[in-house]
Amino acid sequence: MLDQTSFVVDGLMVEGPDGARLCASVCDGCGTVYFPRPVSCRNPECSSKALQDRLLEGRGTLYSFTIQRYQPPALFRIDNWAPYALGLVELPEGIRVMGMLSGFDLDTIRIGERVKLVSECLFTDPERGRVMTYKFAPDISGRAPR
Ligand SMILES: [Zn+2]
């Protein structure tokens, strides 16, 4: 096994000194925030299409969720599959991002919980090593206002 890691999709996230962050874009003209990053602004009323890269806040609030109780079909690769929660998380930038939840008891997840971004291994591959993705985990430090 190679001693390396990669992300499941290039350019999706970075692992920085203050933790995992999602790579987004913000439009110069209308301020719309996009994740994942599109080629240009999709706002039909926007005359500027120029996007700047921006790292999103690593913390947010669980807006909604569902429990995935069957194994997703091929193309989606995951080692040691077990039922998991898929969350829709509202970030301070005003966008909602979908991602797997990690570290929750599936029977006690509640909308409105504070979550933080983490990176975890999705599967290991002989050529790519540990292939990482982002997930949202309970934010224990998030109980107090930032
Ligand atoms: Zn725009």
mmCIF file of all heavy atoms in Angstrom, residues 26-34 40-51, ligand 1:
data_model
loop_
_atom_site.group_PDB
_atom_site.id
_atom_site.type_symbol
_atom_site.label_atom_id
_atom_site.label_comp_id
_atom_site.label_asym_id
_atom_site.label_seq_id
_atom_site.Cartn_x
_atom_site.Cartn_y
_atom_site.Cartn_z
ATOM 1 N N VAL A 26 -16.344 32.790 -5.222
ATOM 2 C CA VAL A 26 -17.285 33.882 -5.018
ATOM 3 C C VAL A 26 -17.219 34.788 -6.247
ATOM 4 O O VAL A 26 -16.147 35.037 -6.794
ATOM 5 C CB VAL A 26 -16.999 34.657 -3.706
ATOM 6 C CG1 VAL A 26 -15.610 35.260 -3.716
ATOM 7 C CG2 VAL A 26 -18.066 35.706 -3.451
ATOM 8 N N CYS A 27 -18.398 35.266 -6.692
ATOM 9 C CA CYS A 27 -18.465 36.099 -7.893
ATOM 10 C C CYS A 27 -18.108 37.544 -7.553
ATOM 11 O O CYS A 27 -18.627 38.112 -6.593
ATOM 12 C CB CYS A 27 -19.856 36.022 -8.493
ATOM 13 S SG CYS A 27 -20.066 37.109 -9.927
ATOM 14 N N ASP A 28 -17.223 38.138 -8.358
ATOM 15 C CA ASP A 28 -16.841 39.545 -8.189
ATOM 16 C C ASP A 28 -18.036 40.477 -8.360
ATOM 17 O O ASP A 28 -18.118 41.515 -7.719
ATOM 18 C CB ASP A 28 -15.789 39.940 -9.243
ATOM 19 C CG ASP A 28 -14.396 39.507 -8.828
ATOM 20 O OD1 ASP A 28 -14.197 39.221 -7.629
ATOM 21 O OD2 ASP A 28 -13.518 39.461 -9.708
ATOM 22 N N GLY A 29 -18.949 40.104 -9.243
ATOM 23 C CA GLY A 29 -20.038 41.007 -9.587
ATOM 24 C C GLY A 29 -21.200 40.963 -8.614
ATOM 25 O O GLY A 29 -21.654 41.997 -8.118
ATOM 26 N N CYS A 30 -21.701 39.779 -8.313
ATOM 27 C CA CYS A 30 -22.932 39.680 -7.530
ATOM 28 C C CYS A 30 -22.703 39.063 -6.151
ATOM 29 O O CYS A 30 -23.622 39.028 -5.337
ATOM 30 C CB CYS A 30 -23.987 38.885 -8.291
ATOM 31 S SG CYS A 30 -23.560 37.150 -8.545
ATOM 32 N N GLY A 31 -21.512 38.565 -5.898
ATOM 33 C CA GLY A 31 -21.210 38.031 -4.570
ATOM 34 C C GLY A 31 -21.719 36.627 -4.311
ATOM 35 O O GLY A 31 -21.590 36.124 -3.194
ATOM 36 N N THR A 32 -22.303 35.987 -5.323
ATOM 37 C CA THR A 32 -22.795 34.629 -5.131
ATOM 38 C C THR A 32 -21.631 33.686 -4.813
ATOM 39 O O THR A 32 -20.575 33.777 -5.437
ATOM 40 C CB THR A 32 -23.520 34.142 -6.402
ATOM 41 O OG1 THR A 32 -24.602 35.044 -6.682
ATOM 42 C CG2 THR A 32 -24.085 32.739 -6.214
ATOM 43 N N VAL A 33 -21.856 32.819 -3.818
ATOM 44 C CA VAL A 33 -20.837 31.844 -3.425
ATOM 45 C C VAL A 33 -21.210 30.487 -4.005
ATOM 46 O O VAL A 33 -22.385 30.089 -3.945
ATOM 47 C CB VAL A 33 -20.730 31.753 -1.888
ATOM 48 C CG1 VAL A 33 -19.670 30.738 -1.487
ATOM 49 C CG2 VAL A 33 -20.412 33.133 -1.299
ATOM 50 N N TYR A 34 -20.229 29.799 -4.583
ATOM 51 C CA TYR A 34 -20.477 28.498 -5.207
ATOM 52 C C TYR A 34 -19.583 27.420 -4.612
ATOM 53 O O TYR A 34 -18.391 27.612 -4.428
ATOM 54 C CB TYR A 34 -20.182 28.563 -6.713
ATOM 55 C CG TYR A 34 -21.108 29.460 -7.489
ATOM 56 C CD1 TYR A 34 -20.750 30.762 -7.787
ATOM 57 C CD2 TYR A 34 -22.329 28.989 -7.928
ATOM 58 C CE1 TYR A 34 -21.595 31.587 -8.520
ATOM 59 C CE2 TYR A 34 -23.188 29.791 -8.652
ATOM 60 C CZ TYR A 34 -22.813 31.097 -8.947
ATOM 61 O OH TYR A 34 -23.651 31.895 -9.667
ATOM 62 N N SER A 40 -18.064 29.586 -14.381
ATOM 63 C CA SER A 40 -18.353 31.019 -14.293
ATOM 64 C C SER A 40 -19.631 31.205 -13.486
ATOM 65 O O SER A 40 -20.342 30.246 -13.195
ATOM 66 C CB SER A 40 -18.510 31.627 -15.693
ATOM 67 O OG SER A 40 -19.690 31.132 -16.304
ATOM 68 N N CYS A 41 -19.936 32.450 -13.126
ATOM 69 C CA CYS A 41 -21.136 32.745 -12.341
ATOM 70 C C CYS A 41 -22.381 32.314 -13.115
ATOM 71 O O CYS A 41 -22.507 32.580 -14.300
ATOM 72 C CB CYS A 41 -21.203 34.237 -12.027
ATOM 73 S SG CYS A 41 -22.658 34.669 -11.031
ATOM 74 N N ARG A 42 -23.327 31.661 -12.410
ATOM 75 C CA ARG A 42 -24.549 31.158 -13.057
ATOM 76 C C ARG A 42 -25.753 32.055 -12.811
ATOM 77 O O ARG A 42 -26.868 31.708 -13.202
ATOM 78 C CB ARG A 42 -24.844 29.746 -12.557
ATOM 79 C CG ARG A 42 -23.789 28.725 -12.958
ATOM 80 C CD ARG A 42 -24.263 27.317 -12.715
ATOM 81 N NE ARG A 42 -24.473 27.053 -11.308
ATOM 82 C CZ ARG A 42 -23.678 26.295 -10.542
ATOM 83 N NH1 ARG A 42 -22.623 25.730 -11.069
ATOM 84 N NH2 ARG A 42 -23.946 26.101 -9.276
ATOM 85 N N ASN A 43 -25.549 33.188 -12.140
ATOM 86 C CA ASN A 43 -26.651 34.114 -11.877
ATOM 87 C C ASN A 43 -27.021 34.826 -13.182
ATOM 88 O O ASN A 43 -26.218 35.585 -13.719
ATOM 89 C CB ASN A 43 -26.205 35.126 -10.815
ATOM 90 C CG ASN A 43 -27.283 36.143 -10.501
ATOM 91 O OD1 ASN A 43 -28.327 36.184 -11.152
ATOM 92 N ND2 ASN A 43 -27.016 36.967 -9.518
ATOM 93 N N PRO A 44 -28.252 34.594 -13.713
ATOM 94 C CA PRO A 44 -28.607 35.190 -15.014
ATOM 95 C C PRO A 44 -28.652 36.718 -14.991
ATOM 96 O O PRO A 44 -28.576 37.359 -16.042
ATOM 97 C CB PRO A 44 -29.990 34.594 -15.309
ATOM 98 C CG PRO A 44 -30.514 34.128 -14.001
ATOM 99 C CD PRO A 44 -29.322 33.794 -13.143
ATOM 100 N N GLU A 45 -28.795 37.321 -13.817
ATOM 101 C CA GLU A 45 -28.864 38.788 -13.733
ATOM 102 C C GLU A 45 -27.500 39.417 -13.470
ATOM 103 O O GLU A 45 -27.408 40.631 -13.277
ATOM 104 C CB GLU A 45 -29.856 39.188 -12.631
ATOM 105 C CG GLU A 45 -31.262 38.705 -12.943
ATOM 106 C CD GLU A 45 -32.255 39.006 -11.833
ATOM 107 O OE1 GLU A 45 -31.874 39.691 -10.862
ATOM 108 O OE2 GLU A 45 -33.393 38.538 -11.950
ATOM 109 N N CYS A 46 -26.451 38.613 -13.452
ATOM 110 C CA CYS A 46 -25.108 39.107 -13.145
ATOM 111 C C CYS A 46 -24.366 39.411 -14.436
ATOM 112 O O CYS A 46 -24.335 38.589 -15.345
ATOM 113 C CB CYS A 46 -24.355 38.057 -12.337
ATOM 114 S SG CYS A 46 -22.670 38.528 -11.941
ATOM 115 N N SER A 47 -23.773 40.612 -14.532
ATOM 116 C CA SER A 47 -23.039 40.968 -15.746
ATOM 117 C C SER A 47 -21.562 40.618 -15.635
ATOM 118 O O SER A 47 -20.863 40.500 -16.627
ATOM 119 C CB SER A 47 -23.199 42.465 -16.042
ATOM 120 O OG SER A 47 -22.768 43.220 -14.918
ATOM 121 N N SER A 48 -21.062 40.476 -14.418
ATOM 122 C CA SER A 48 -19.679 40.033 -14.235
ATOM 123 C C SER A 48 -19.694 38.535 -14.025
ATOM 124 O O SER A 48 -20.497 38.017 -13.278
ATOM 125 C CB SER A 48 -19.055 40.715 -13.018
ATOM 126 O OG SER A 48 -17.848 40.079 -12.663
ATOM 127 N N LYS A 49 -18.848 37.845 -14.696
ATOM 128 C CA LYS A 49 -18.814 36.391 -14.538
ATOM 129 C C LYS A 49 -17.519 35.949 -13.869
ATOM 130 O O LYS A 49 -17.227 34.761 -13.809
ATOM 131 C CB LYS A 49 -18.955 35.709 -15.899
ATOM 132 C CG LYS A 49 -20.281 36.028 -16.597
ATOM 133 C CD LYS A 49 -21.455 35.457 -15.843
ATOM 134 C CE LYS A 49 -22.773 35.743 -16.545
ATOM 135 N NZ LYS A 49 -23.927 35.366 -15.740
ATOM 136 N N ALA A 50 -16.729 36.911 -13.391
ATOM 137 C CA ALA A 50 -15.403 36.582 -12.863
ATOM 138 C C ALA A 50 -15.509 36.034 -11.449
ATOM 139 O O ALA A 50 -16.108 36.640 -10.564
ATOM 140 C CB ALA A 50 -14.528 37.825 -12.881
ATOM 141 N N LEU A 51 -14.922 34.882 -11.234
ATOM 142 C CA LEU A 51 -14.963 34.228 -9.926
ATOM 143 C C LEU A 51 -13.592 34.292 -9.261
ATOM 144 O O LEU A 51 -12.566 34.199 -9.925
ATOM 145 C CB LEU A 51 -15.386 32.768 -10.081
ATOM 146 C CG LEU A 51 -16.774 32.524 -10.672
ATOM 147 C CD1 LEU A 51 -16.984 31.039 -10.931
ATOM 148 C CD2 LEU A 51 -17.860 33.049 -9.745
HETATM 149 ZN ZN ZN B 1 -22.207 36.899 -10.441
#
